[in-house]
Amino acid sequence: MKTVDLRSDTVTQPTPAMREAMLTAPLGDDVYGDDPSVLALEARIASLTGKQAALFMPTGTQSNLCALMAHCERGDEYLVGQNAHTYRYEGGGAAVLGSIQPQPLVQDAKGQMSLVDIAAAIKPDDAHFARTRLLALENTWNGQRMPMEYLQQAAALARQHGLAVHLDGARVMNAAVDQAQANTSDAFTELRAITDLFDSVSVCFSKGLGAPVGSALCGSKELIHKAHRVRKMLGGGMRQSGVLAAAALHALDHHVHRLSDDHALAKRLADGLRGLSGLTVRSAQTNIVFVDVADGRGPALLEHLRQANVLATGLIGLRFVTHIDVDEQGIDHAVACVKDFLQSANGATSAPARSGGPY
Ligand SMILES: *Cc1c(COP(=O)(O)O)cnc(C)c1O
């Protein structure tokens, strides 16, 4: 049986049509600024996000770091969620490479920092303090779409205090598609509604959009000009990168609206798991499902699934992510395997007690 790989939406393989687009892409040398496919992608994503300019990046991590370093100088500070990707999962790059002080703030279960905490963390102009320059938000956060009212209020608060606002929108297309479904509107209209609130937006092509590599940073001409210098310094100046940009362009043309299929699969998975004894579905939105397993049985469940060709991750509870390379049959197989495990585990009274612990 084919492996049902639910570890992440980064595991997707380029489709035959995407490979064809890569194969036939016109190429140049992007460091000389003459790769037509890169230029076309940058123009396209800038226009979709309503920004003056965009820059193609090898990764989302580099894209976020270029944004932070373009917004902030050495000794500046940015406000960011305690569990946000740029703070927690990017090797501390802002501090290490940008000399930018992160001011992490507590997030609630929906990923939101309170407006009171944000306001309180903005430092006055005083030699004691780092200069607070930027607020960074993330959408989706752990698969959860940020409500527009929250984004509006947080962005307005930041602007009142003269801060810029950056969106880590690695999965912002998932947010836009989900929001479009909720509002019976169009995904690209909703994307604009979201991105209009931000000075800069980073978007991943290598996640749900199904491209093998790449992200883009979008913003004003001036900001992207600064980010371009930083990207070069970070080693992100690429040459015939049109071969990759072509995949991303293909994804923007063909893989945005279909994200609703991934969301439907995540819902199918969550519906299949909900109510099983020994397990709690903690959150299931867009394409990510988080599950808590009772009695520290998470690692054993992961191993059971692995032996049945179902892959998931277990860093913060079990995480299942749907994407273009899974289907209903695969999801149903995953649900059946979880049921198997719970039945045998619940039946075995002498099951060894495992301590909880992080897994
Ligand atoms: C994946 C991800 C990134 C980083 O993208 P890479 O291409 O893996 O470097 C940044 N932010 C969020 C929210 C992500 O999910």
Side-chain angles (χ1 to χ4, degrees):
M1 158 148 203
K2 182 178 147 223
T3 298
V4 183
D5 193 343
L6 302 170
R7 288 173 302 168
S8 177
D9 47 9
T10 57
V11 302
T12 58
Q13 299 278 321
T15 61
M18 182 179 277
R19 287 171 196 255
E20 183 64 24
M22 296 172 76
L23 204 60
T24 55
L27 303 177
D29 184 325
D30 184 53
V31 173
Y32 286 103
D34 62 17
D35 186 298
S37 299
V38 171
L39 295 174
L41 172 66
E42 290 174 343
R44 182 82 197 289
I45 190 67
S47 140
L48 286 174
T49 56
K51 304 298 175 209
Q52 290 173 341
L55 200 55
F56 185 46
M57 301 276 183
T59 63
T61 299
Q62 189 169 105
S63 183
N64 280 324
L65 182 55
C66 286
L68 297 176
M69 291 177 71
H71 282 294
C72 301
E73 304 294 328
R74 185 161 189 253
D76 288 351
E77 169 184 84
Y78 84 112
L79 309 183
V80 60
Q82 176 89 47
N83 292 311
H85 204 282
T86 63
Y87 173 65
R88 199 176 172 106
Y89 299 104
E90 298 184 5
V96 176
L97 299 166
S99 298
I100 300 161
Q101 165 171 287
Q103 167 65 72
L105 297 175
V106 171
Q107 291 167 277
D108 65 16
K110 293 180 169 167
Q112 299 177 18
M113 302 170 261
S114 84
L115 299 180
V116 172
D117 285 354
I118 293 173
I122 300 172
K123 317 291 186 288
D125 181 6
D126 176 312
H128 289 86
F129 302 120
R131 293 167 302 238
T132 314
R133 285 276 194 244
L134 178 74
L135 172 68
L137 302 178
E138 192 174 310
N139 191 17
T140 60
W141 183 78
N142 279 347
Q144 301 187 60
R145 166 160 66 80
M146 290 284 143
M148 280 299 283
E149 308 75 60
Y150 173 73
L151 296 178
Q152 282 157 352
Q153 287 168 0
L157 174 64
R159 285 187 207 296
Q160 267 168 34
H161 290 87
L163 272 57
V165 197
H166 171 69
L167 179 66
D168 177 356
R171 296 192 177 91
V172 71
M173 294 296 180
N174 294 85
V177 165
D178 188 59
Q179 197 160 305
Q181 198 160 19
N183 297 345
T184 49
S185 153
D186 173 69
F188 289 125
T189 307
E190 297 298 333
L191 177 70
R192 269 303 290 276
I194 297 169
T195 56
D196 278 354
L197 299 170
F198 293 89
D199 298 290
S200 56
V201 180
S202 174
V203 182
C204 280
F205 304 116
S206 57
K207 296 200 166 159
L209 293 179
V213 173
S215 284
L217 178 65
C218 311
S220 69
K221 276 197 174 126
E222 196 191 340
L223 188 88
I224 295 302
H225 181 73
K226 281 171 111 176
H228 186 259
R229 171 178 288 274
V230 178
R231 186 187 69 172
K232 185 70 191 164
M233 186 173 72
L234 296 174
M238 299 181 288
R239 302 295 180 168
Q240 283 70 49
S241 36
V243 75
L244 302 173
L249 257 178
H250 178 87
L252 289 176
D253 285 337
H254 302 284
H255 292 178
V256 174
H257 296 99
R258 65 149 306 285
L259 289 172
S260 58
D261 297 347
D262 302 346
H263 300 175
L265 287 180
K267 184 172 180 304
R268 187 181 182 95
L269 177 66
D271 289 346
L273 298 179
R274 239 180 232 116
L276 298 180
S277 108
L279 169 156
T280 316
V281 176
R282 178 162 22 112
S283 91
Q285 274 190 50
T286 66
N287 68 330
I288 306 185
V289 178
F290 280 99
V291 170
D292 292 323
V293 186
D295 305 325
R297 289 204 201 104
L301 173 54
L302 276 181
E303 177 56 22
H304 176 84
L305 290 173
R306 198 184 61 76
Q307 284 177 12
N309 288 325
V310 178
L311 303 181
T313 57
L315 198 61
I316 38 172
L318 297 202
R319 190 184 82 158
F320 301 87
V321 187
T322 57
H323 51 74
I324 192 170
D325 287 348
V326 285
D327 55 17
E328 290 186 350
Q329 206 191 341
I331 293 299
D332 294 347
H333 173 62
V335 171
C337 293
V338 173
K339 282 184 180 161
D340 271 1
F341 173 83
L342 291 173
Q343 266 157 19
S344 58
N346 290 339
T349 45
S350 60
R354 284 168 176 268
S355 66
Y359 47 74

